Amino acid sequence: MKTDLTDTTASKINKALVKARRAIGTPAVGMVLTLVIVTDEENAYDALKSANDASREHPSRTIVVIKRVSRSPRDRTKSRLDAEVRVGADAGTGDTVVLRLYGEVADHAQSVVLPLLLPDAPVVVWWPVNAPLDPASDPLGALGQRRVTDSYAAEKPIDELRARAENYEPGDTDLAWTRITPWRSMLAAALDQVDCEVISAEVQGEQYNPSVELLAMWLADRLHVHVRRGVSAGPGLNEVRMLTSTGPIRLYRPNGGLALLTLEDQPDRAVALKRRETSELLAEELRRLDPDDTYASALRFGVDRLGGGLSAAPGNAPTAATATGSSGGSGSAGAAAATGGVASGGAAPGAAGGASGVTAPGGAGALGSGSVSSAGGPGHASASVPGAVSGSGPGLGAAVASAASAARAAAALPPAAPSSAPSGTEGSAGSAGDGDSERPTPAQMPPVKKATTP
């Protein structure tokens, strides 16, 4: 059932909602939250469709806020509020209010939305496109316990990630992070199956995809190892390779559907890693409304270390750096193992071909110990990356680097170079960095030396 209201008020909209629910015979309200969608006219249909699909798992009142910009200066001073009220089959399992704000009222959307919120229910604010730089300080964002953005929809995704890190507040999250939940769960489960030490890792994905960057940051943050970022043709995230003390671990998804998990001395297995619809991502984010500390840690850890991969992107200055190796000498710019640093082989969004790697000071001796937190977040799978303080059993926490292995890895590093090595040229997904004679191989990277469990 649909009801159109022209030049109306929030009070009249509430009355129309009650009247419409009584008309269809469902006066009781069984909704668990209010979802506020802030979008434009172009993207309103797709966003509302995704919200209605997600409401089958989370019955909610959906309020769509569309700010209509008047063409003439005279019309911009005239405030008007039009609304469309939907209940029943037209609104999923809850009810829907579509608000169109004209003139000066568009600058005070929160005063219109506030009377329409469900009482004593959490509020989630979602920006499908054009999210503010600081969602928590936005007048509409301040109404919500949870604020959902999507950096993939931004014109410059990496700049968007950097802004998210600078302005992060508990309750912020991003659908680019939600897209990699199955990958994080699968990688954590793979490491649970072997008793090994992770030495280095590489993440391959399409060029303009913030999910690939976030996964690389998460691996570097959790594992405290050198992580390379490579470019592939996509779609999305294609491959993660981890070099461990017992052999390589590879998770490869060539076409956005099934993926292949390869472990040393184990048969290859096919796993489901399909690209999910926006409604599925939104439903996952609505399952838990507490702050996602894992997302915050990964986001803050790696944003400032993505500069080397962005040297060709507009508005980003090229960066090259060398890092001090464990033996006291300098390693090549694209290969030094920083403290969980994300190094680019010239493969971040906005880069054209190869770019300089970005590293942070410290080699094997700087790779300190630390807890490895859960792979989950709000609505994420419960599989965890082992290696927390209590980490008994196989996995990340059980692998403790010996002094002898650290010394052998340090001896395997190339001799000190007087300056930063030139950036390599990125080839296909399987040949990233080939041709750079001064870049050490993953096997030459110093291992992670973790503190023993007391």
Side-chain angles (χ1 to χ4, degrees):
M1 179 178 179
K2 296 182 181 181
T3 305
D4 291 326
L5 302 173
T6 304
D7 198 7
T8 186
T9 63
S11 176
K12 293 179 182 178
I13 295 172
N14 264 321
K15 291 179 181 178
L17 279 169
V18 174
K19 183 178 179 180
R21 295 193 70 84
R22 288 177 177 172
I24 64 174
T26 57
V29 177
M31 292 167 282
V32 298
L33 58 89
T34 303
L35 176 62
V36 180
I37 305 174
V38 186
T39 184
D40 52 23
E41 199 71 64
E42 179 183 357
N43 298 280
Y45 175 82
D46 292 335
L48 187 55
K49 184 178 183 300
S50 297
N52 287 342
D53 292 341
S55 72
R56 292 180 172 87
E57 185 175 339
H58 309 279
S60 59
R61 170 170 291 178
T62 303
I63 302 175
V64 184
V65 179
I66 304 174
K67 299 179 181 181
R68 299 293 298 269
V69 179
S70 301
R71 295 182 179 179
S72 65
R74 183 186 305 170
D75 291 337
R76 292 171 190 164
T77 61
K78 298 178 182 178
S79 298
R80 193 178 92 222
L81 171 63
D82 293 345
E84 183 180 329
V85 176
R86 305 180 186 180
V87 296
D90 296 318
T93 58
D95 52 37
T96 300
V97 179
V98 181
L99 303 174
R100 290 180 172 86
L101 290 73
Y102 299 82
E104 294 180 349
V105 72
D107 298 327
H108 305 280
Q110 72 278 7
S111 63
V112 179
V113 172
L114 186 60
L116 303 177
L117 302 178
L118 291 174
D120 301 323
V123 178
V124 179
V125 185
W126 173 35
W127 291 269
V129 293
N130 302 326
L133 291 179
D134 189 356
S137 299
D138 184 81
L140 283 172
L143 299 176
Q145 289 78 39
R146 190 78 166 172
R147 295 164 293 276
V148 183
T149 58
D150 191 354
S151 56
Y152 186 75
E155 183 178 354
K156 298 179 180 179
I158 304 306
D159 289 345
E160 193 79 2
L161 287 180
R162 187 174 289 108
R164 295 286 163 263
E166 292 174 353
N167 301 296
Y168 176 83
E169 292 291 338
D172 292 353
T173 191
D174 198 293
L175 293 186
W177 172 256
T178 315
R179 290 183 179 96
I180 62 174
T181 301
W183 285 82
R184 295 189 296 122
S185 299
M186 190 59 60
L187 292 171
L191 289 172
D192 273 331
Q193 299 178 39
V194 292
D195 185 1
C196 68
E197 173 189 339
V198 180
I199 300 171
S200 65
E202 181 174 355
V203 179
Q204 295 275 351
E206 65 184 3
Q207 193 169 11
Y208 296 97
N209 196 311
S211 296
V212 185
E213 311 294 333
L214 283 169
L215 184 61
M217 290 187 246
W218 174 73
L219 285 172
D221 182 38
R222 297 294 106 184
L223 300 177
H224 298 273
V225 297
H226 171 81
V227 179
R228 279 194 67 201
R229 165 69 163 92
V231 164
S232 68
L237 183 60
N238 289 117
E239 182 180 7
V240 175
R241 287 179 288 180
M242 292 185 291
L243 182 67
T244 71
S245 56
T246 59
I249 296 176
R250 182 178 186 241
L251 185 59
Y252 177 57
R253 184 182 68 176
N255 55 12
L258 282 177
L260 187 69
L261 176 62
T262 303
L263 298 172
E264 191 74 12
D265 299 327
Q266 294 188 26
D268 296 350
R269 65 199 74 176
V271 295
L273 280 179
K274 72 180 184 70
R275 291 170 62 84
R276 296 181 292 171
E277 300 292 335
T278 305
S279 58
E280 299 175 85
L281 303 174
L282 184 61
E284 179 183 324
E285 285 299 336
L286 296 178
R287 286 176 198 146
R288 289 178 55 189
L289 301 179
D290 53 331
D292 190 344
D293 295 331
T294 308
Y295 165 68
S297 178
L299 187 66
R300 287 170 168 168
F301 179 88
V303 167
D304 293 335
R305 299 177 183 176
L306 295 176
L310 297 175
S311 59
N316 292 289
T319 310
T322 57
T324 305
S326 59
S327 60
S330 299
S332 64
T339 309
V342 179
S344 279
S356 303
V358 176
T359 56
L367 296 172
S369 61
S371 297
V372 180
S373 66
S374 166
H380 300 319
S382 60
S384 63
V385 179
V389 173
S390 61
S392 60
L396 301 178
V400 180
S402 66
S405 63
R408 287 195 299 269
L413 288 172
S419 60
S420 300
S423 57
T425 301
E426 203 51 53
S428 62
S431 61
D434 291 342
D436 190 349
S437 59
E438 296 188 26
R439 187 191 307 277
T441 65
Q444 295 173 321
M445 297 305 302
V448 181
K449 189 173 183 179
K450 294 184 171 62
T452 56
T453 303

